[in-house]
Amino acid sequence: MTKTELNISELNQYLSTFGYEKFCFLWREYLESSSQSWANMDNLDLSEKKYIFHNWRAGSKIFGMDSFSLLCQKTEECIINCRTAKIEKLISDCKKSYDEQAELVKIYISQIKEDHEK
């Protein structure tokens, strides 16, 4: 699996657990919440950022976004350990990874949508 690939096995496990409709609902909620957090990122203090990256680390795994989840973990650890010089670069890397992997999830969901409409 490359950095931009999804963990389809994990994604499918959650898809099977929740069902297609619920999974898509969770995805829309995740996107809405994430979009708001990204839009406000520059206005957040370190404690708020730590909370967001902690939640993203766990939440993104549901959608097979392992690379993004790992970067969230590194960012959270960096914040906890007060490595402020590295935080902005990690946040930038997280945003890039998020954008790439979220696009892959959107594509995957649109591909499997046909299967669930039959």
Side-chain angles (χ1 to χ4, degrees):
M1 183 166 63
T2 66
K3 287 186 177 184
T4 57
E5 286 181 348
L6 297 176
N7 183 337
I8 298 298
S9 172
E10 191 154 13
L11 187 154
N12 282 337
Q13 178 183 352
Y14 284 102
L15 181 62
S16 176
T17 299
F18 294 121
Y20 179 77
E21 294 300 321
K22 178 72 172 181
F23 184 85
C24 289
F25 171 79
L26 293 171
W27 175 244
R28 288 188 302 272
E29 291 286 312
Y30 178 83
L31 283 179
E32 182 179 326
S33 173
S34 297
S35 295
Q36 291 173 0
S37 295
W38 283 119
N40 293 321
M41 189 63 65
D42 292 339
N43 302 321
L44 303 176
D45 64 28
L46 287 178
S47 175
E48 293 167 317
K49 288 178 182 179
K50 180 181 123 350
Y51 176 78
I52 286 170
F53 284 99
H54 174 80
N55 287 336
W56 282 342
R57 176 179 53 85
S60 61
K61 297 285 282 179
I62 292 170
F63 306 107
M65 299 168 67
D66 287 357
S67 296
F68 176 64
S69 179
L70 181 60
L71 281 171
C72 288
Q73 178 181 346
K74 288 180 182 180
T75 304
E76 180 186 7
E77 290 170 358
C78 202
I79 292 169
I80 290 169
N81 295 315
C82 298
R83 296 188 189 123
T84 54
K86 295 182 178 184
I87 293 171
E88 291 309 313
K89 169 79 167 92
L90 280 169
I91 290 173
S92 176
D93 291 347
C94 279
K95 178 65 169 119
K96 182 180 179 205
S97 178
Y98 170 83
D99 289 343
E100 291 171 350
Q101 293 211 302
E103 185 61 30
L104 292 175
V105 174
K106 289 177 196 175
I107 291 168
Y108 187 76
I109 288 174
S110 71
Q111 290 173 342
I112 63 171
K113 181 179 180 181
E114 296 173 11
D115 294 339
H116 293 276
E117 291 179 340
K118 292 180 182 177

